[in-house]
Every structure is written in C-alpha cells, then in structure tokens.
Amino acid sequence: MSGNRSRAGEPEGPGGPPPPSSSPLARAEHFVWLTARVLEQRRFAYHFLGGGADGVDAALSPYLNEDGGYGHALEPDLRGPVSQPLHTAHALRVLDSIGRCGGLRAERLCRYLTGVSTPEGALPAVHPSQRGYPAAPFVPIVDDPPGSLLTTGPVVGLLHRNEVWHAWLFRATDFCWAAVDSLESSHPYEVEAAVAFLNGVPDRARARTAADRLGRLVREKGLVVLDPDRADEQPVSPGYAPGEHHFAYDYARAPESLARHWFTDEEVGRSLDHLAAAQCEDGGWPVNWRQWAPGTSLEARPLVTIEALRTLRAYGRTIG
C-alpha cells in the first residue's frame, strides 16, 4: 500500500473482523474502511491518522445544494436530496471540527438558514420540503412546523463559537435563550441541544447559570444513567427505543463542556468505562436509537464510532 502514514492495524483478511488483540483505534479503523461513507473515512483519517482537512472538505461538498443548505441524506435518518436544517447542522459540526466554519461559506449558509426559519426566527426540526422522500417514522413532517431547540441550539452555538456574525443570529439566539430558560421537563436530546448552544454563546456568565440549572434538571428527572451497570433498571424517555439511555459523556463530550460540572469524577469515569467497553467485535460502536432501515444503521455507525473515539481521546483515554 502506498502513502506516508503507518496503518493503525492490519485486518484479519478481506471483510473479516479485526484482530481482537489490536487497539481500539486499529479495530475502529478496520470497521471504518469496511463500512463507512467517503466522508466518514476522510473524517477518521483527519482525526486519527494525520489526514488533511482538504479531504474532509472535498467529501462534504457533494452534500451541498445550490440554496446553501445541505441534503442528500447527510443526516442518515432523512433521505432524499433536499436541504434540511438537520443536514446543515451536521455539516456545521464537520466544518467546525476541521476549523473551516467561517468566511463566505458561513455567510451563504446563514442565508439558507434565514430562508427556512420559522416566524420566530428559529429552525424547524424538519422543513416541509422533506415530504415525499423517505424519513424516519419518529421524525414528524408537518406543513407549518414550529421552531425547535433541537436544531437551532447546536447551529447557533457553533456559529457563535466561530465568531460568525449574521443578522439571522440575533433572533435565533433570543429564541434559544427563551427555550433554554423555559425547559422544565425535557428529554435528553433537547438538553444536548441546549448544552451545544450554551457552550458557544458569548454571554458566558448567563450560560454558566443556565447550565447549572439544566444539570440539576437532568439529575432530578433521571435523564442520565449514573451507574451504567444498572442501566437496565432505569426507564428510557417516552418514545425512545429500548436501551436508548444517555450517559454523562453524551452531555459532556469534552472536559471543557459546561455539562462536565454536572457530574463527579467518578461518574464521568464510569461513563467513559462504559463507552470504551461498548465497542463491538467488528470494531465499531453500536447505534442505540430506533433503527428503521438497514442502510441508515450502516451509515450511522461510523458516525457514532468517530464520536466515541473523539470523546475517549478528549478525556485522555488510551485508544491506540
């Protein structure tokens, strides 16, 4: 094989499982080359094998539409070519991870966000243009969708963190603050979106205060499994798949997250032990949300695998 990098590990034959004695990173590399889309292959190479950002950027480009948004099933649970806020939020996370979330690209993206926003200036979870294309049954498609913190929070947080300024951000930021401040009985994914917003918003004092309140809510409402060995004893949120639990690392993907202060060192350590142990025999990590089509599960697992490795590495865990 040509190239100037050394392989993280050699597979045990075409399509076979990686050697069980190899490192978590080597096993994950085998899984990614075997199953992942080009984008996730490029992302894996960038984050763990010394690959360049240009390769990730090039692999993301085919998902970009003329309206400035992203589509083409970038987020696997929404199929079809049309741009969607969820796809665009996914693209922003990728661009942020390679340090390319700014400039004319961000301006064009904000024009798309402006065009699909609800009257209150927020993003819907799913734009009605999705109708007619396959979508997960747990993703409702309505003609006049309300603004959603699930989509708006992560986008606004990332744009602020990258010091992107656009007129759309003013009303969208106000929407997120109102949504976060009004959360009383939430669900885990909504809290994750709130954390993504708070991690990037400029008013750090207000963000810390809001995060402290959310942390108390998460613990009081049982929205986190603090003892992974007893996860089966804790019910999941209504509408979630069996076993769709959330752990400390789901809220605090890195030590610098405001959500890190919600948990003790011991609680975070147990959750990371659980995450490390969840790696499957084939080298990838499992998807724990409801699966509705074979292809979506296959596309989602490399995404989950990359995030698991990034989280473990962020906390100083040895991955290979």
Side-chain angles (χ1 to χ4, degrees):
M1 175 181 174
S2 61
N4 59 6
R5 70 165 179 84
S6 60
R7 295 179 62 86
E10 292 290 340
E12 205 178 52
S21 59
S22 57
S23 70
L25 182 61
R27 295 167 61 205
E29 181 186 3
H30 175 76
F31 172 76
V32 166
W33 295 136
L34 182 64
T35 67
R37 304 180 296 192
V38 173
L39 176 58
E40 282 68 56
Q41 292 178 16
R42 296 283 194 167
R43 290 187 66 206
F44 186 92
Y46 173 82
H47 288 295
F48 305 109
L49 303 175
D54 287 347
V56 179
D57 211 337
L60 183 62
S61 293
Y63 296 94
L64 178 64
N65 286 321
E66 291 184 3
D67 59 8
Y70 288 79
H72 306 280
L74 179 57
E75 167 57 52
D77 280 332
L78 295 179
R79 316 304 294 181
V82 294
S83 297
Q84 283 292 324
L86 281 174
H87 297 317
T88 305
H90 188 125
L92 267 175
R93 287 193 296 272
V94 173
L95 292 169
D96 175 69
S97 73
I98 62 173
R100 296 192 175 182
C101 189
L104 292 176
R105 186 204 312 262
E107 183 178 336
R108 185 183 184 200
L109 190 146
C110 285
R111 287 201 298 269
Y112 162 75
L113 299 175
T114 302
V116 298
S117 290
T118 61
E120 67 265 54
L123 298 173
V126 181
H127 190 269
S129 60
Q130 182 65 35
R131 183 173 282 109
Y133 297 103
F138 49 80
V139 179
I141 302 171
V142 297
D143 290 329
D144 189 20
S148 170
L149 181 62
L150 281 170
T151 44
T152 313
V155 169
V156 171
L158 279 179
L159 291 176
H160 277 306
R161 194 171 79 184
N162 286 275
E163 298 183 346
V164 173
W165 295 104
H166 188 275
W168 176 79
L169 271 172
F170 291 100
R171 294 184 66 204
T173 301
D174 289 342
F175 169 87
C176 290
W177 275 126
V180 170
D181 290 343
S182 65
L183 286 181
E184 291 297 340
S185 57
S186 185
H187 60 86
Y189 293 118
E190 192 170 36
V191 175
E192 286 184 31
V195 171
F197 167 70
L198 296 174
N199 281 340
V201 73
D203 191 339
R204 304 312 299 152
R206 184 177 179 183
R208 286 190 290 271
T209 299
D212 289 344
R213 188 184 74 83
L214 285 183
R216 292 192 294 272
L217 182 146
V218 164
R219 297 181 74 97
E220 292 168 1
K221 301 293 184 180
L223 302 181
V224 61
V225 175
L226 297 175
D227 184 356
D229 291 336
R230 304 180 65 180
D232 292 343
E233 301 175 15
Q234 186 164 330
V236 299
S237 296
Y240 283 31
E244 194 174 355
H245 294 292
H246 282 67
F247 303 88
Y249 60 77
D250 287 305
Y251 300 107
R253 284 284 174 180
E256 60 268 21
S257 171
L258 290 176
R260 171 61 184 85
H261 302 291
W262 300 354
F263 311 107
T264 66
D265 291 347
E266 182 181 4
E267 289 167 347
V268 171
R270 284 201 300 261
S271 78
L272 294 172
D273 290 342
H274 173 77
L275 179 61
Q279 187 175 21
C280 300
E281 182 180 353
D282 63 8
W285 266 259
V287 171
N288 68 347
W289 60 85
R290 195 177 305 280
Q291 297 305 294
W292 59 281
T296 61
S297 177
L298 186 65
E299 292 178 357
R301 286 193 65 206
L303 298 172
V304 173
T305 297
I306 290 170
E307 291 310 308
L309 290 169
R310 292 184 68 198
T311 297
L312 292 168
R313 186 174 64 182
Y315 280 96
R317 293 298 183 103
T318 300
I319 59 175

